[in-house]
Amino acid sequence: MPDQSFPGNFPVLGQPVDELALAEIKGAILAKLRLAIGKDAGMATRHDWYKAAALALRDRIVHHWLTAEKQSYDAGRKRVYYLSLEFLIGRLFTDALNNMGLLPLFETALGDLGVALSDLRKCEPDAALGNGGLGRLAACFMESMATLAIPAIGYGIRYDFGLFRQIIAQGWQQEYPDEWLGFGNPWEFQRPEVVYHVHFGGNIERITDANGRERVVWHPAETVQAVAYDTPIVGWRGQHVNALRLWSARAPDPLRLDVFNTGDYLGASAEQARAEAICKFLYPNDESPAGRELRLRQEYFFVSASLQDLVQRHLASDGQLRGLPSKVAVQLNDTHPSLAVTELMRILVDLHNFRWEEAWKITVATLSYTNHTLLPEALETWPVELFERLLPRHLDIIYRINVAHLALADARCPDDVDFRASVSLIDEKSGRRVRMGQLAFVGSHRVNGVSAMHSDLMKETVFHDLHYLYPDRITNKTNGITFRRWLMLANPRLTELLREACGEAVLDDPSQLSRLESRASDNAFQQQFRSVKHHNKIALARLIGERLNVRVDPAALFDVQIKRIHEYKRQLLNIIETVALYQAIRDEPQRDWVPRVKIFAGKAAASYRYAKLIIKLINDVAEVVNNDPVVAGRLKVAFLADYNVSLAEVIIPAADLSEQISTAGMEASGTGNMKLALNGALTIGTLDGANIEIRDHVGAENIAIFGMEAMDVVVRRKQGLDATDVIRRSPRLSRAINAIGSGEFSPDDPGRFESIAHALRYLDHYMVSADFDSYYEAQRGIDARWQVVPAWTRASILNVARMAWFSSDRTIREYAEDIWDVPVRGTSPAAAQEPAAQRGATR
Ligand SMILES: *Cc1c(COP(=O)(O)O)cnc(C)c1O
């Protein structure tokens, strides 16, 4: 990473550092170095210094944490539990320092001790316990819940290995294990006393108890222990701290001594290996469900441990479970924790003797579910046989839920077998399978989509029939991002400028960003704004030079597409446009082409061969374009390896153009789009996901929209996927596809990209060919706008000024009010709440 300095001096602008506090911090860091790390300053490595500083900071957070815990406990406040199989956290050191208001103090203290904070922060591994947007959303939500002082716990799995490390070798993606815990983790507290037993397998027995009630007893075959690890998540200004509680798995007997003594050393720890497999690694799939048994074991493991934990906490304070929904809200992030529906029922009915109907009311009132995808094939399902073998009691519960649920369906739509089949919790079509999306829907009082368009489409597509049965359940909660990480930390220079222009209050209340409106055309302010962007671009140019040995000009237009590599996200559309532009430049090298740098980053699921081929294509095109003397540096292509939160923090502040070009109707929301617009990048995008709401807020004149709309896509797909019609009409597209397909960019293997050319011509499911001309034209429109510097700068400033609504604080406030029913302190001014109607917003 390039050097980052921290001009941001958030808590005490312009004030000298408090000498007493400074001495105390220095003392604390040195004490940690000696007593916790066992080194003295002379011997310490940078890593030792990082750990000592992190531990000194953690001490200060813990005081606030324990106070916050006690206060919410004493007040009997309702708690939120956020269940997510993914948390894409990134680094915590400067994030926590910033929120605690200790960034300047630590920077000075460390400087006095002879180490640079900017060096230490790079020692922290990037915690990547998530694939992409879904996991990053969970991390932003944790930060916002702490900021809004909502008592909350995030529950997930402490994977030994996070998302794989990506290396690009000869243009191909290679995957390596992510050993993020290799040097220990200074943030977490192991809680050896917080252990729950999670059971699998076996059989169930129906008995009649002493009161003559029929009961079901589960006799499991296998037991795994879940051990808690807590990471404190501190909110802005350090007022409130919540825990992220991640579960690690182990066998009840670490070593079978009887087996060991027979000489079978491997067999003696086989049980341990089987248990530990559960938390060994994150499934590296994005958008497509991982259908393996181990995945189902992961899901039940973390759901069961989390529910046992929250039930125990509730019983400790309230003594009974009847009032659970008034004290507990459980949010299911996607279908991965759907088993919470059946597990809570099992706890209530089997373990606490609740009558079925009452248990069901409690369950539905406690749970709510966030949907992240519209594709029916992307909703998780599990074969009934697998379910029965692993979780026999849960399958039994699902059947019973289904009886009442289907009775309701029959009452609403008598004799409609299709309706009944569509809402059933069991899919009978392709072998019998349990449908996790339907289960989560039926067991929740609220089901939310993640952008206005996505929530509307949910009602019309995946959950059309369930919406008919339960019409008040679906609600929308458009995603957001935490401005602390994605503005203050990632872009300290812009933050500094915003503090001067909008006042200090902008740090607490993003609606203050609107004060930029009046400065958007101010020449002097524009220059300051451009100078910030230029600085950030120099840093990114340096990184590209170091990593790829490619020289890029910071004055060029930085065109950025960073996200998981997926066909629906259409990196392919972007690289074909790159090829077409390259050919146009070669045709007329004397023209005054706008210099552009195409920057890509993203990982492809290891099993997703086509996505990996697209990465290779980007790198092959880069090789040719970057080294063509005719182009003379006016077009460069850079694929940066190993996209993660830390890399995003460097790229985003340097972006001029944000590529949000998914096939309309396929991106649920996106949050990368929000991060980039907040940092002043103009968006080129389709009317998809939250792009639509971004347009409504920034104004149609400050965003470049192109391409087919969701309805057009549906209609065209019905007509077939052949794209020869559009290719015939577009010589530019035809020529680009021919060049790719015939091996112009892969002379070492001319047939390498034949499959891509074939798909573009005859199987254009993602509308890459169909949208090409519209996209190419929109890009040339961007070229034209870029050349009018004051107008471009104005649009860029207005993007920043109008993004306040996309703060995850706003999103979390909406969840708190409409779904969780928990009070939020200090609701911010109305200005931050609503889109800017005065600018002609359409909603
Ligand atoms: C924000 C973010 C994402 C999500 O990006 P989209 O463009 O919304 O898909 C994925 N990965 C990382 C590291 C992120 O920071």
Side-chain angles (χ1 to χ4, degrees):
M1 297 285 133
D3 266 344
Q4 280 260 13
S5 64
F6 295 92
N9 193 19
F10 306 125
V12 278
L13 182 65
Q15 255 172 262
V17 183
D18 175 346
E19 287 300 328
L20 230 93
L22 185 63
E24 188 195 318
I25 300 280
K26 280 195 269 191
I29 296 172
L30 285 171
K32 287 292 176 194
L33 195 62
R34 294 178 73 91
L35 304 176
I37 316 288
K39 297 252 185 109
D40 70 31
M43 294 156 48
T45 64
R46 275 211 311 218
H47 208 278
D48 296 329
W49 280 109
Y50 154 65
K51 258 187 158 167
L55 289 172
L57 170 61
R58 193 183 73 168
D59 282 355
R60 279 145 185 81
I61 295 172
V62 167
H63 290 302
H64 295 228
W65 189 12
L66 299 181
T67 311
E69 250 320 86
K70 184 165 181 340
Q71 279 171 357
S72 67
Y73 211 81
D74 290 349
R77 291 185 65 191
K78 186 169 181 176
R79 254 170 227 277
V80 174
Y81 295 96
Y82 197 83
L83 269 61
S84 180
L85 216 39
E86 304 193 6
F87 288 92
L88 189 53
I89 301 163
R91 292 174 174 146
L92 280 176
F93 184 43
T94 49
D95 179 64
L97 276 176
N98 180 41
N99 278 5
M100 289 289 287
L102 292 171
L103 199 45
L105 212 50
F106 267 65
E107 193 175 27
T108 312
L110 286 164
D112 290 357
L113 294 169
V115 283
L117 177 73
S118 55
D119 286 339
L120 293 200
R121 70 184 286 278
K122 292 179 225 161
C123 293
E124 180 175 5
D126 186 287
L129 308 184
N131 275 289
L134 177 148
R136 185 53 233 174
L137 184 74
C140 283
F141 279 5
M142 287 305 298
E143 201 269 358
S144 276
M145 287 190 285
T147 291
L148 297 178
I150 295 173
I153 294 183
Y155 281 124
I157 293 180
R158 181 178 178 271
Y159 301 106
D160 294 342
F161 298 96
L163 185 61
F164 65 85
R165 201 155 43 83
Q166 179 194 55
I167 284 178
I168 302 295
Q170 277 86 52
W172 295 99
Q173 168 176 301
Q174 292 179 349
E175 304 92 29
Y176 289 85
D178 164 46
E179 297 177 77
W180 73 294
L181 292 170
F183 282 88
N185 176 0
W187 302 115
E188 67 185 9
F189 289 88
Q190 191 191 12
R191 306 286 194 200
E193 76 287 3
V194 183
V195 179
Y196 296 98
H197 286 161
V198 177
H199 306 293
F200 294 97
N203 52 56
I204 55 177
E205 185 190 358
R206 289 177 205 285
I207 59 164
T208 308
D209 69 11
N211 303 326
R213 263 167 68 176
E214 193 189 299
R215 308 172 48 85
V216 181
V217 181
W218 178 20
H219 303 289
E222 184 191 349
T223 298
V224 173
Q225 287 185 344
V227 187
Y229 287 74
D230 289 344
T231 299
I233 304 291
V234 54
W236 173 234
R237 301 247 185 240
Q239 293 298 306
H240 188 91
V241 184
N242 283 323
L244 173 62
R245 175 161 280 190
L246 302 179
W247 301 104
S248 186
R250 68 178 187 206
D253 287 322
L255 192 69
R256 291 276 305 279
L257 271 183
D258 52 335
V259 179
F260 189 83
N261 289 336
T262 67
D264 181 3
Y265 306 126
L266 279 182
S269 52
E271 222 173 85
Q272 180 70 352
R274 185 171 158 77
E276 282 177 2
I278 291 177
C279 62
K280 193 55 78 186
F281 69 96
L282 165 80
Y283 268 89
N285 262 342
D286 186 56
E287 297 289 331
S288 72
R292 306 281 304 279
E293 175 174 340
L294 182 59
R295 173 70 169 203
L296 186 57
R297 284 167 66 86
Q298 285 185 336
E299 292 180 356
Y300 181 59
F301 168 77
F302 105 101
V303 162
S304 175
S306 308
L307 288 187
Q308 289 183 60
D309 193 43
L310 72 88
V311 161
Q312 176 175 314
R313 185 173 303 107
H314 179 77
L315 284 175
S317 62
D318 285 46
Q320 44 86 11
L321 289 172
R322 204 152 309 237
L324 192 71
S326 65
K327 290 294 175 64
V328 167
V330 175
Q331 189 68 36
L332 311 177
N333 193 24
D334 211 333
T335 56
H336 318 141
S338 296
L339 283 166
V341 177
T342 51
E343 180 68 355
L344 189 51
M345 285 300 286
R346 188 183 73 84
I347 291 172
L348 292 169
V349 172
D350 293 2
L351 308 184
H352 293 272
N353 299 321
F354 275 81
R355 294 165 55 87
W356 182 273
E357 287 71 24
E358 185 170 17
W360 184 244
K361 278 194 190 123
I362 293 172
T363 297
V364 173
T366 304
L367 304 182
S368 44
Y369 153 57
T370 305
N371 171 275
H372 287 270
T373 177
L374 295 169
L375 298 180
E377 66 270 23
L379 284 180
E380 284 186 300
T381 63
W382 294 102
V384 163
E385 318 85 76
L386 169 63
F387 218 101
E388 182 151 38
R389 181 157 51 76
L390 220 56
L391 300 165
R393 175 55 178 146
H394 295 79
L395 183 64
D396 190 51
I397 289 171
I398 286 172
Y399 285 152
R400 180 145 177 205
I401 295 171
N402 211 22
V403 169
H405 167 59
L406 291 180
L408 186 68
D410 287 342
R412 265 327 278 283
C413 299
D415 305 318
D416 189 339
V417 286
D418 290 341
F419 184 79
R420 191 183 155 92
S422 123
V423 298
S424 174
L425 303 186
I426 307 293
D427 180 0
E428 310 273 355
K429 280 204 296 284
S430 35
R432 301 185 70 227
R433 301 178 76 91
V434 179
R435 293 163 153 169
M436 304 303 268
Q438 269 82 351
L439 176 63
F441 192 114
V442 171
S444 298
H445 64 287
R446 283 281 183 281
V447 177
N448 76 284
V450 288
S451 71
M453 182 210 210
H454 170 67
S455 298
D456 287 344
L457 287 176
M458 265 167 67
K459 297 180 189 170
E460 290 163 25
T461 60
V462 268
F463 292 138
H464 177 272
D465 291 347
L466 282 169
H467 175 57
Y468 182 71
L469 258 193
Y470 306 96
D472 347 311
R473 287 206 183 167
I474 295 184
T475 173
N476 177 57
K477 295 287 161 277
T478 299
N479 285 167
I481 55 172
T482 165
F483 285 21
R484 269 75 61 184
R485 183 178 288 268
W486 296 110
L487 180 59
M488 292 187 203
L489 274 182
N491 204 340
R493 284 197 176 79
L494 180 58
T495 306
E496 194 70 6
L497 182 61
L498 296 175
R499 291 169 77 195
E500 285 166 23
C502 307
E504 284 298 293
V506 75
L507 299 180
D508 299 274
D509 171 13
S511 73
Q512 299 297 319
L513 286 171
S514 67
R515 301 177 72 174
L516 285 181
E517 298 258 349
S518 61
R519 311 283 293 273
S521 300
D522 174 331
N523 186 34
F525 184 74
Q526 283 204 349
Q527 268 181 27
Q528 287 180 295
F529 187 86
R530 277 196 301 271
S531 143
V532 166
K533 182 65 85 183
H534 191 69
H535 243 101
N536 296 334
K537 290 170 75 173
I538 289 172
L540 179 55
R542 192 183 314 133
L543 183 80
I544 291 172
E546 283 164 11
R547 290 217 186 154
L548 302 173
N549 200 23
V550 171
R551 279 175 52 110
V552 302
D553 178 0
L557 190 163
F558 279 19
D559 172 346
V560 165
Q561 188 171 22
I562 48 174
K563 48 184 76 241
R564 287 298 288 249
I565 311 293
H566 208 292
E567 284 162 278
Y568 86 82
K569 291 181 183 278
R570 299 201 296 189
Q571 282 89 358
L572 190 52
L573 179 58
N574 189 348
I575 198 67
I576 295 170
E577 192 267 336
T578 308
V579 168
L581 178 59
Y582 169 64
Q583 292 171 330
I585 295 173
R586 280 187 57 99
D587 287 349
E588 299 179 84
Q590 70 292 345
R591 263 184 57 183
D592 64 333
W593 297 98
V594 170
R596 258 196 207 234
V597 185
K598 290 265 189 182
I599 296 157
F600 293 87
K603 295 176 182 176
S607 57
Y608 193 170
R609 294 190 43 195
Y610 196 73
K612 291 165 101 171
L613 189 61
I614 291 171
I615 293 177
K616 175 62 173 161
L617 174 61
I618 295 170
N619 285 307
D620 279 0
V621 170
E623 189 63 31
V624 172
V625 170
N626 294 347
N627 298 304
D628 189 332
V630 176
V631 172
R634 288 170 295 180
L635 180 60
K636 293 268 171 138
V637 180
F639 187 102
L640 286 164
D642 204 34
Y643 182 51
N644 59 17
V645 171
S646 298
L647 183 57
E649 288 166 3
V650 181
I651 298 174
I652 288 169
D656 295 307
L657 186 64
S658 162
E659 298 271 354
Q660 307 300 337
I661 59 177
S662 51
T663 313
M666 298 196 75
E667 185 74 89
S669 164
T671 48
N673 47 4
M674 301 169 191
K675 300 167 196 167
L676 283 152
L678 177 62
N679 281 275
L682 263 63
T683 303
I684 181 166
T686 46
L687 285 178
D688 200 17
N691 294 354
I692 297 172
E693 288 151 278
I694 291 176
R695 180 200 59 180
D696 294 345
H697 281 261
V698 304
E701 66 286 4
N702 298 309
I703 185 170
I705 297 293
F706 73 94
M708 297 165 72
E709 295 189 31
M711 275 308 133
D712 307 333
V713 172
V714 172
V715 170
R716 186 169 164 91
R717 274 189 190 150
K718 280 211 184 100
Q719 293 161 358
L721 301 180
D722 191 291
T724 39
D725 56 340
V726 293
I727 296 171
R728 201 177 318 112
R729 287 198 296 271
S730 173
R732 198 173 266 122
L733 172 60
S734 170
R735 186 175 167 203
I737 295 177
N738 287 343
I740 292 166
S742 67
E744 264 186 46
F745 300 96
S746 53
D748 56 322
D749 178 6
R752 179 176 295 141
F753 302 118
E754 261 170 18
S755 61
I756 290 181
H758 181 83
L760 288 167
R761 291 180 182 123
Y762 310 113
L763 286 169
D764 192 26
H765 183 72
Y766 296 95
M767 306 290 140
V768 173
S769 295
D771 265 347
F772 176 81
D773 276 356
S774 165
Y775 179 57
Y776 190 88
E777 230 172 85
Q779 288 285 25
R780 301 295 73 79
I782 291 288
D783 285 341
R785 290 179 75 152
W786 175 257
Q787 285 170 308
V788 189
V789 174
W792 179 279
T793 310
R794 177 181 151 80
S796 174
I797 294 170
L798 289 177
N799 266 265
V800 180
R802 298 174 179 179
M803 284 301 289
W805 191 77
F806 296 92
S807 160
S808 46
D809 297 351
R810 185 271 312 158
T811 313
I812 287 298
R813 247 184 224 110
E814 290 185 5
Y815 275 86
E817 282 162 20
D818 304 347
I819 300 181
W820 302 332
D821 193 26
V822 298
V824 179
R825 284 209 299 260
T827 298
S828 104
Q833 306 290 314
E834 278 309 311
Q838 76 276 13
R839 290 187 297 271
T842 57
R843 72 183 52 246

